[in-house]
Amino acid sequence: MSAQEKKDLLAETDRLREEGRAGEARERLLALTTRFPDDAEVAYRTAWVHDVLGLETEAVAYYERSLAGTGLGAEDRRGALLGLGSTYRVLGRYGQAVETLRRGVEEFPDDGALQTFLAMALFNTEEHHEAMQLLLRLVASTSDDRHVQTYRPAIEHYAKDLHEKM
């Protein structure tokens, strides 16, 4: 199979997933993973479709394979880190979720979704202070709410130390 044929098949599976035909996409992706077991892009797409279908346990190995391989573009790598971290969290594997999502935030520090999912995983590991810090900084830096922006300096200040008193 040529690189172009593989690219076309991946585009077809994306289209099927987007059309709500994830089961069909999964069948095609499983066939592709048999042909290309070390292909990071195929593994990522396969993980994603398993997540869409609520098959999180099965998705993990494909996410891990996609991140261990080479050839993922930056956007797919970001998606794989978010997907794996979120999947670990849903499965109750909180420590692995935090580790994976921290790596994602380190690689993609401006990604608010990664920060948000990391905050959720930190909450699950009872690291409430750090979770709140992340969320407060994110709200302060991304909110268009004029009231939040009015108090942005105070929010950012207190995000550093929520226990600070006068």
Side-chain angles (χ1 to χ4, degrees), residues 61-126:
Y62 293 108
Y63 278 129
E64 290 172 342
R65 190 183 310 173
S66 74
L67 290 166
T70 59
L72 277 186
E75 188 61 22
D76 283 348
R77 181 161 176 81
R78 185 204 64 76
L81 287 163
L82 179 62
L84 180 58
S86 173
T87 298
Y88 279 149
R89 195 185 81 72
V90 166
L91 295 172
R93 295 165 65 176
Y94 303 131
Q96 289 173 295
V98 168
E99 181 183 319
T100 301
L101 293 164
R102 276 194 201 283
R103 187 171 59 182
V105 168
E106 286 171 15
E107 289 185 34
F108 303 95
D110 296 328
D111 189 307
L114 278 163
Q115 293 174 39
T116 302
F117 278 88
L118 174 56
M120 287 187 276
L122 288 167
F123 175 85
N124 294 125
T125 59
E126 299 188 14

Side-chain angles (χ1 to χ4, degrees), residues 6 8 50 102 120 125 139-140 165:
K6 184 182 83 170
D8 291 344
H50 279 85
R102 276 194 201 283
M120 287 187 276
T125 59
V139 166
K165 298 178 192 172

Side-chain angles (χ1 to χ4, degrees), residues 157-158 161-166:
H157 173 79
Y158 289 113
D161 185 1
L162 290 166
H163 296 291
E164 183 179 321
K165 298 178 192 172
M166 296 298 278

